[in-house]
């Protein structure tokens, strides 16, 4: 389980190991969690509209 969440330098790498130049998110970043967090308010709004319409 990741402990540090946020955008920062992160842990130092071993000598001779380079971090990718492409941004891949901070340590502990999970794309599925991001989609879930974005989808829940949208689904709640749609369910509320359906309930109000009926």
């Amino acid at each position: 389980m990741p402990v540090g969440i946020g955008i920062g330098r992160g842990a130092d790498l071993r000598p001779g190991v380079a971090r990718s130049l492409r941004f891949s998110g901070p340590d502990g970043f999970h794309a599925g969690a991001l989609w879930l967090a974005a989808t829940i308010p949208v689904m709640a709004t749609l369910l509320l509209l359906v309930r109000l319409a009926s």
Side-chain angles (χ1 to χ4, degrees), residues 40-54:
I40 287 175
V42 173
M43 291 300 296
T45 303
L46 290 175
L47 289 172
L48 180 63
L49 290 174
V50 167
R51 182 169 177 133
L52 291 174
S54 59

Side-chain angles (χ1 to χ4, degrees), residues 4-10 23 25-27 29:
I5 296 177
I7 298 176
R9 281 194 42 207
F23 178 75
D27 294 338
F29 180 80

Side-chain angles (χ1 to χ4, degrees), residues 11-35:
D12 293 330
L13 299 175
R14 295 186 316 262
V17 177
R19 190 177 292 268
S20 172
L21 295 177
R22 193 176 93 194
F23 178 75
S24 60
D27 294 338
F29 180 80
H30 192 277
L34 180 64
W35 277 105

